[in-house]
Amino acid sequence: MTNLGKGDNLGAMKKIVEVAVGLPVSKTFHYLIPESMQGSLQTGMRVLVPFKGRKVTGFCLDLLDQPPKEIEEKLREVERLLDEAPLIDPQMLRFYRWISDYYLYPLGEVIKTGLPPGLHLKSELFLSLTDEGINALLQKCLGSVEERILREIERCGKVSLKRVLKIFPGEVSRSQLFSLRRKGLLQIDAGFEDKGVKPKFERVVRSLGRVLIEKISRKQSEILKWVEERGEVPYPELCKRFKSPSQPIRSLQEKGFLSIALREVCRSLSVRSELKPYPKPELTSDQMNVLSEILKGIDSKRYTPFLIYGVTGSGKTEVYLRAIEEVLRQGREAIALVPEISLTPQLLSRFKDRFGENLAMLHSGLGKGERYDQWRRIWRGEVKIALGARSAIFAPFKNVGIIVVDEEHDPSYKQEEKLKYHARDLAVVRAKEAEATLLLGSATPSLESFHNIEKGKFRLLTLPERIEKKPLPKVEVVDMKDEKGLLSETLKTALQKNIEEKRQSLLFLNRRGFANFILCPECGFTFTCPNCSVTLTFHLKDRSLQCHYCDYRVKAPGDCPNCKGHRLRGMGIGTERLEQEIKDLFPNKEVGRMDRDTTSRKHSHQQILKNLESGKIDILVGTQMIVKGHDFPNVTFVGVVSADTSLHFPDFRSSERTFQLLTQVAGRAGRGEIAGEVVIQTFNPDHNSIRMAKDHDFKGFYREEIGFRRALEYPPFSRMINFRLTGNSEKRTKTAAEEMARVGQSLLKRGFGKGIELLGPSDAPFMRLKGKFRMQMLAKGNNSRLLHQFAQELMNQMEERTKGKGVNLDVDVDPVFVL
């Protein structure tokens, strides 16, 4: 792994630039700097460069007098300079290089991940029909797939190759489309589309401060006076104040009293803080003790990592806010990470109340333009705090003083697509590089974090009691082997009692939809996704069958397509069915639902939380969205409908995840004046994760689970890298997996990676996903450096062996702390 070394941003009049292109290619490239750009081009700027017959965005890494000696090919020139000032400073560039080395991912793609969407430009291939293609459609002489492809292109007129592959996942390959071109049916041209996000501007009217001597009309006088009082007024605002102001303004402009200019403005945010204000509370003695230690770390201006282990409702957020206040007072900047977008409206209210507009939001729930604007506010130094989900770790601050990772155990900090980084691990790296304070907070810390306490890597701070010494909720576990139906009598009775006392309730079920799948009892037929190895989930509202992985959906038929039987039956349960059952049980009560289906529209999840806060919702049904850090005093009952959903997942962390989820969901109850009550329904009441969640016993769970990990040599006692092959052809993917195993064993025999164990290859969970077949092999070892060397060599050899075979290899480095 590369060390985070120091670098510079100088390079006047250099003639060669080293560039990382924003594509999945592992090496960097060199280009000639045109004379017109020499002296202007700097490291950290974007450039447009020619690459394999097209033009793509590249990122300037270094400026050289001459190319490296090993480069023999003729260099091409940079096409265009895309920035006036560097987007990436030397510190962020070192951070990106470290990520690329550790996660074994192309540097250009890493940088692209860290920048807001819309800053990456590239030419694309576009498809259109030839005369022969049009005639073939008229004569109806094509195969079914070919005809569907050509019909789609005919409908669009001209369509990108990338879009066609997306419309027909798993059915159409790039080679098939080029085959249609060879037959003369298609024309394929390279085109350049600038889809970049640009700053938003508005017209403003400004007073030039000239003394009025000449006579002007009454309306002109009123407008001039109004603008002079304000100095500068947005044109739309002026139009609201005065009827038909265009002519008077033009006249005042011609006479030299006013000017009209464009001013960059920030787009309105999709996420708004509309919840009740939260007054600044007095700190408890525990909070003061914890904050005192943190302030010592902040004052040292050195890397100081803390783990705040505090029970649910113990006031961790207030500690974060006070620590950030101190960092801002010292003139430094803060990054605060939260695990879910659904958390941000309530947390945003807390931050807005405390810090006003000195705050930017960064997460995937914002539109492209919104994210671009928020990123630019940070980049230009207009704000000192970045709040958001995992992508906020890339906030382009230059003087970070503190990084907060709230609910640090949460699995949503791990990105599962493309660059598979873990934001908590990157927070550790960035805090160390910036000599900043690191705060990791949780009521259920990850085993890796708590193990780092024992190893002396982190300092432990504890908040053992709830605010005002409120008791933790009483938890009752119900064995569902003795029950009939979806809801136990215990849960229904507790729910009824809570409603009678005019209290609010949460019901948690971590599975959306109405039924997990539809079964024909006559022939056993089930509806499966054509692109993934999963059954389709039934959704009652629009009577559809949906895949929750690739979004494939069809209308649910009335009869079995296999045997024509009429008795199709929904099996299993989801939040939609649970919502319906609760409405049937309590017809006069307001029942809400919070899952991905009900929060897909802008502002929808804020509206649900607002209704819960105002008391409009009596019972809220939801997935894990409802358990993430929300604080509603009138919620006094929480029901867990099925605690077994995450328990039997094929993952060595399934017990840990179950314990964390149950403890977190229980923690939503009893945060106000009334004590909370929790009912957990399960078929495994004696499982250690459920027993200890019932007693809120994290330390007991940790001692037992860390013993299992040590015995089996699982993280944190080893490191893991998962090698995953994906391809359109099952046969080619399996052949490549067998080849990967041979290469891996050969490397081990040659002395690469002493002490490394290879497991597999085997089918990945969900052997087929989004039209791609998937195989995987796991490498496990104790030495991180040797494991990375082995992985890099394996990837280099497999890159050559899979070239042109339609199979891709990517790696997933298990999220364990890296420093």
Side-chain angles (χ1 to χ4, degrees), residues 629-764:
H630 302 307
D631 188 348
F632 295 108
N634 201 39
V635 172
T636 54
F637 175 73
V638 171
V640 179
V641 176
S642 174
D644 309 311
T645 309
S646 59
L647 196 55
H648 301 300
F649 201 75
D651 182 350
F652 70 89
R653 288 190 173 94
S654 61
S655 289
E656 181 185 5
R657 298 261 163 87
T658 301
F659 172 81
Q660 289 165 344
L661 207 50
L662 294 179
T663 305
Q664 291 289 335
V665 72
R668 298 317 104 206
R671 287 174 168 246
E673 300 301 319
I674 310 297
E677 187 180 348
V678 179
V679 171
I680 297 175
Q681 298 186 160
T682 177
F683 287 94
N684 298 274
D686 297 323
H687 195 281
N688 67 318
S689 62
I690 292 171
R691 281 189 295 103
M692 292 176 184
K694 174 182 181 292
D695 298 329
H696 308 280
D697 184 9
F698 167 76
K699 289 186 177 178
F701 176 80
Y702 172 79
R703 285 192 297 272
E704 193 167 310
E705 188 68 16
I706 205 76
F708 295 150
R709 299 276 184 93
R710 185 181 284 109
L712 296 170
E713 291 192 327
Y714 277 119
F717 302 102
S718 66
R719 302 291 173 93
M720 290 182 170
I721 296 181
N722 192 26
F723 301 90
R724 182 167 289 158
L725 289 160
T726 58
N728 292 325
S729 161
E730 182 177 8
K731 185 178 178 182
R732 285 185 179 181
T733 307
K734 286 192 171 181
T735 302
E738 290 162 5
E739 179 70 8
M740 179 170 66
R742 282 194 292 272
V743 171
Q745 293 296 344
S746 172
L747 289 173
L748 293 183
K749 286 175 184 174
R750 286 164 48 200
F752 268 95
K754 187 180 177 183
I756 291 173
E757 179 185 3
L758 293 182
L759 305 172
S762 62
D763 293 353

Side-chain angles (χ1 to χ4, degrees), residues 513-541:
F514 190 84
N516 303 148
F517 62 95
I518 298 291
L519 173 76
C520 175
E522 295 177 21
C523 70
F525 177 83
T526 58
F527 294 85
T528 57
C529 176
N531 307 316
C532 308
S533 304
V534 294
T535 54
L536 296 174
T537 302
F538 176 58
H539 288 251
L540 181 66
K541 187 176 181 181

Side-chain angles (χ1 to χ4, degrees), residues 102-105 414-421 649-653 714-715 718-726 737 740-741 756-767 769 773-781 784 787-788 790-792 794-795 798 808-816:
Y102 184 76
Y103 288 103
L104 303 166
Y105 202 73
K414 173 78 186 300
Q415 176 155 295
E416 298 295 347
E417 299 292 326
K418 297 185 178 178
L419 172 59
K420 297 176 176 63
Y421 70 91
F649 201 75
D651 182 350
F652 70 89
R653 288 190 173 94
Y714 277 119
S718 66
R719 302 291 173 93
M720 290 182 170
I721 296 181
N722 192 26
F723 301 90
R724 182 167 289 158
L725 289 160
T726 58
M740 179 170 66
I756 291 173
E757 179 185 3
L758 293 182
L759 305 172
S762 62
D763 293 353
F766 309 121
M767 190 341 183
L769 195 68
F773 293 95
R774 313 186 319 150
M775 299 286 293
Q776 67 183 33
M777 181 174 77
L778 194 68
K780 188 168 81 164
S784 180
L787 197 59
H788 271 73
F790 171 82
Q792 189 64 69
L794 179 68
M795 288 178 70
M798 286 304 295
N808 295 316
L809 171 64
D810 68 358
V811 297
D812 187 354
V813 181
D814 187 70
V816 293

Side-chain angles (χ1 to χ4, degrees), residues 286-494:
D286 288 330
Q287 285 176 311
M288 284 191 284
N289 292 336
V290 166
L291 184 61
S292 173
E293 292 301 311
I294 293 168
L295 293 181
K296 289 176 190 174
I298 292 170
D299 289 339
S300 74
K301 293 184 171 56
R302 300 185 65 181
Y303 169 61
T304 319
F306 296 101
L307 172 64
I308 304 177
Y309 164 47
V311 299
T312 54
S314 58
K316 293 184 288 294
T317 303
E318 185 58 35
V319 173
Y320 304 153
L321 295 172
R322 301 285 179 109
I324 290 171
E325 282 179 332
E326 177 58 26
V327 166
L328 297 190
R329 194 185 64 76
Q330 295 184 11
R332 300 185 77 184
E333 299 143 347
I335 297 172
L337 305 183
V338 292
E340 290 279 352
I341 292 169
S342 61
L343 228 183
T344 41
Q346 195 165 30
L347 203 63
L348 179 59
S349 289
R350 300 279 297 270
F351 272 76
K352 284 270 189 182
D353 289 345
R354 195 67 54 90
F355 303 113
E357 295 302 315
N358 193 17
L359 175 70
M361 294 282 291
L362 287 176
H363 63 74
S364 59
L366 302 177
K368 281 186 179 182
E370 293 167 341
R371 286 177 73 183
Y372 175 77
D373 287 350
Q374 295 296 305
W375 186 89
R376 275 172 67 85
R377 292 177 71 210
I378 298 168
W379 178 70
R380 291 189 302 209
E382 294 174 6
V383 296
K384 297 292 185 183
I385 305 167
L387 169 67
R390 58 178 177 253
S391 61
I393 194 59
F394 299 110
F397 286 127
K398 295 178 175 62
N399 188 22
V400 175
I402 190 168
I403 300 177
V404 175
V405 185
D406 189 31
E407 309 292 2
E408 64 83 30
H409 68 277
D410 197 283
S412 68
Y413 282 125
K414 173 78 186 300
Q415 176 155 295
E416 298 295 347
E417 299 292 326
K418 297 185 178 178
L419 172 59
K420 297 176 176 63
Y421 70 91
H422 198 294
R424 177 196 61 203
D425 287 7
L426 293 192
V428 176
V429 176
R430 190 162 183 195
K432 185 162 189 176
E433 165 68 0
E435 296 284 1
T437 299
L438 174 71
L439 298 186
L440 307 175
S442 178
T444 53
S446 64
L447 265 69
E448 289 83 2
S449 295
F450 217 75
H451 186 63
N452 272 344
I453 296 292
E454 295 180 345
K455 291 171 73 176
K457 288 188 174 183
F458 298 156
R459 290 183 57 192
L460 178 64
L461 303 173
T462 58
L463 293 170
E465 294 182 322
R466 282 186 158 186
I467 299 293
E468 297 175 2
K469 300 191 182 298
K470 292 168 187 170
L472 288 167
K474 176 192 167 192
V475 181
E476 184 174 356
V477 175
V478 176
D479 187 348
M480 292 303 285
K481 293 192 288 288
D482 304 324
E483 300 286 338
K484 292 179 182 178
L486 176 60
L487 302 175
S488 64
E489 289 303 317
T490 304
L491 193 148
K492 284 191 277 191
T493 302

Side-chain angles (χ1 to χ4, degrees), residues 155-307:
R155 186 182 68 80
C156 299
K158 195 172 188 179
V159 62
S160 72
L161 183 146
K162 193 174 177 181
R163 177 166 169 74
V164 171
L165 294 176
K166 199 170 183 180
I167 293 169
F168 302 100
E171 291 184 80
V172 178
S173 66
R174 189 183 176 95
S175 59
Q176 281 176 284
L177 296 173
F178 277 88
S179 172
L180 292 174
R181 182 178 72 169
R182 287 193 293 273
K183 291 177 184 178
L185 303 175
L186 284 185
Q187 184 171 325
I188 302 181
D189 301 300
F192 183 76
E193 282 194 341
D194 187 344
K195 298 178 182 175
V197 177
K198 292 183 172 57
K200 183 181 178 182
F201 293 93
E202 71 174 5
R203 286 200 298 167
V204 291
V205 180
R206 290 173 180 157
S207 167
L208 296 177
R210 185 181 158 196
V211 178
L212 181 62
I213 301 172
E214 58 201 278
K215 191 174 181 181
I216 57 174
S217 71
R218 182 181 171 184
K219 188 168 187 179
Q220 288 176 4
S221 178
E222 288 174 354
I223 290 173
L224 183 59
K225 184 183 177 185
W226 198 72
V227 174
E228 281 177 341
E229 287 171 355
R230 288 156 182 80
E232 181 179 278
V233 180
Y235 196 89
E237 192 179 319
L238 202 144
C239 290
K240 287 179 185 175
R241 177 70 175 78
F242 299 96
K243 191 175 180 182
S244 305
S246 302
Q247 186 58 48
I249 289 171
R250 195 178 302 117
S251 178
L252 288 167
Q253 187 181 10
E254 289 168 357
K255 292 172 181 175
F257 293 108
L258 297 179
S259 70
I260 298 177
L262 290 176
R263 178 180 67 183
E264 186 177 338
V265 292
C266 209
R267 296 165 180 89
S268 298
L269 278 177
S270 310
V271 177
R272 299 189 298 261
S273 59
E274 296 179 347
L275 303 178
K276 292 174 185 174
Y278 193 96
K280 191 171 184 176
E282 290 290 321
L283 294 182
T284 65
S285 58
D286 288 330
Q287 285 176 311
M288 284 191 284
N289 292 336
V290 166
L291 184 61
S292 173
E293 292 301 311
I294 293 168
L295 293 181
K296 289 176 190 174
I298 292 170
D299 289 339
S300 74
K301 293 184 171 56
R302 300 185 65 181
Y303 169 61
T304 319
F306 296 101
L307 172 64

